[in-house]
Amino acid sequence: MKTDLVEIFQTIRAGLQPYATQGYTVHENSENGYDLFSEKNIELDGEKITERFFAGVYINGDAVEVKVNTEDFSTENHNLSDFGHHQAGLKISALDDTKLKEVETLVEIVHANFKEKEWI
C-alpha cells in the first residue's frame, strides 16, 4: 500500500496521462497538479462552450484529490467528495490496488460520458 502523497499522485497521474491522446488537453502539469480539459467547441442550451474540465489529480494538504467532471450525471450514492463547480471525486491518503482500480473505473465512466455527449 502506498501512503506517500507524491507516489500516490504520480501513480494516478500515470493513469490519466493516456487520456491526453484521446482528445483532451493538459492544462496543468506540475509536481502537485495534473488536469485534462476537452477543448471541443460545442453549443449546449444556447451557450457556446470552448473548454470543459474532464479530470485531474492534485496533492492538497494531507490527501491526493482525484476530481472528475460531474456536470451531466448524479454523484449521489457514489461516496464521492463534492469539490464544487460540477466536480466531485475521491480524497486519497493511502493507495492500494483496489483503490487504484476504483479511480481508474471512475475516470473511465466520465470518459464514456464525454464520448456519449460528443464533448471530445
Side-chain angles (χ1 to χ4, degrees):
M1 177 173 308
K2 297 176 183 178
T3 56
D4 178 72
L5 296 182
V6 173
E7 189 177 1
I8 293 169
F9 168 78
Q10 290 174 343
T11 300
I12 295 171
R13 178 177 61 186
L16 283 178
Q17 287 174 325
Y19 287 95
T21 64
Q22 297 184 41
Y24 299 101
T25 301
V26 177
H27 274 215
E28 180 179 351
N29 187 8
S30 68
E31 291 184 16
N32 61 359
Y34 180 83
D35 55 30
L36 298 166
F37 282 72
S38 166
E39 293 186 343
K40 182 176 181 181
N41 294 324
I42 61 170
E43 189 170 322
L44 184 64
D45 298 329
E47 180 184 351
K48 291 183 180 185
I49 300 171
T50 58
E51 68 179 17
R52 179 183 304 270
F53 174 78
F54 166 60
V57 59
Y58 313 90
I59 297 175
N60 190 4
D62 62 351
V64 173
E65 296 177 348
V66 178
K67 299 179 182 181
V68 294
N69 183 307
T70 59
E71 187 170 345
D72 209 38
F73 64 91
S74 172
T75 58
E76 293 178 16
N77 302 321
H78 294 288
N79 297 320
L80 300 177
S81 297
D82 182 5
F83 295 114
H85 303 304
H86 302 294
Q87 295 178 17
L90 305 167
K91 290 185 179 184
I92 302 168
S93 56
L95 184 67
D96 59 12
D97 290 341
T98 302
K99 183 58 94 175
L100 181 58
K101 184 63 178 168
E102 183 180 346
V103 169
E104 291 170 348
T105 300
L106 178 62
V107 173
E108 288 172 12
I109 290 168
V110 175
H111 175 65
N113 185 56
F114 267 61
K115 286 177 64 175
E116 180 182 304
K117 301 292 182 187
E118 297 181 355
W119 291 346
I120 58 165

